[in-house]
Amino acid sequence: MIHHVQVACPAGAEDDERAFYTGVLGWPELPKPPLLAARGGCWFQVPGVGGPDGELHVGVEADFRPALKAHPAFVVDVDTVAAAIEASGRSVTWADPAEIPGRRRFHTFDAVGNRLEFLDG
């Protein structure tokens, strides 16, 4: 089991990431321990589908470049999550069902351009 994955953001983009991860996806923000909070960034609880909850950590990176190929993948109710993302004005790109038979999935980007994948639970 994976406890958490981390993506990066530029300094000062934490509120944009909160607006996406909490505002659009509904993932609760988790408090960071004080010594780590001083570095910036934010953490979110990723609700588990058929398993335990995990965490997504967003860390500040000085020379930030969004991850356009590498990405975390989250097991969710893809129809609900895709609808929430599209309602926020963002786009989703559905994957070809022949790529991974039996797995409905799509990709999108977070508030700072990091690629994310969502798979049906």
Side-chain angles (χ1 to χ4, degrees):
M1 177 180 102
I2 294 175
H3 177 269
H4 71 272
V5 295
Q6 181 165 327
V7 297
C9 76
E14 291 93 341
D15 285 343
D16 294 332
E17 292 289 74
R18 287 181 181 102
F20 178 75
Y21 289 106
T22 297
V24 175
L25 298 181
W27 295 355
E29 184 170 358
L30 299 169
K32 290 182 69 172
L35 289 176
L36 296 178
R39 300 178 189 171
C42 39
W43 292 0
F44 302 94
Q45 180 182 3
V46 181
V49 174
D53 292 345
E55 296 179 10
L56 174 73
H57 295 182
V58 179
V60 173
E61 194 169 281
D63 187 26
F64 172 75
R65 284 180 301 249
L68 303 177
K69 179 71 175 171
H71 60 276
F74 303 99
V75 176
V76 298
D77 176 329
V78 291
D79 293 318
T80 300
V81 173
I85 291 169
E86 289 175 327
S88 77
R90 292 174 167 80
S91 64
V92 301
T93 303
W94 289 94
D96 181 340
E99 291 176 342
I100 303 177
R103 271 330 264 266
R104 292 183 59 231
R105 62 196 184 98
F106 69 86
H107 292 92
T108 193
F109 297 91
D110 72 5
V112 298
N114 292 308
R115 184 178 189 215
L116 305 171
E117 181 176 349
F118 295 91
L119 301 98
D120 207 2

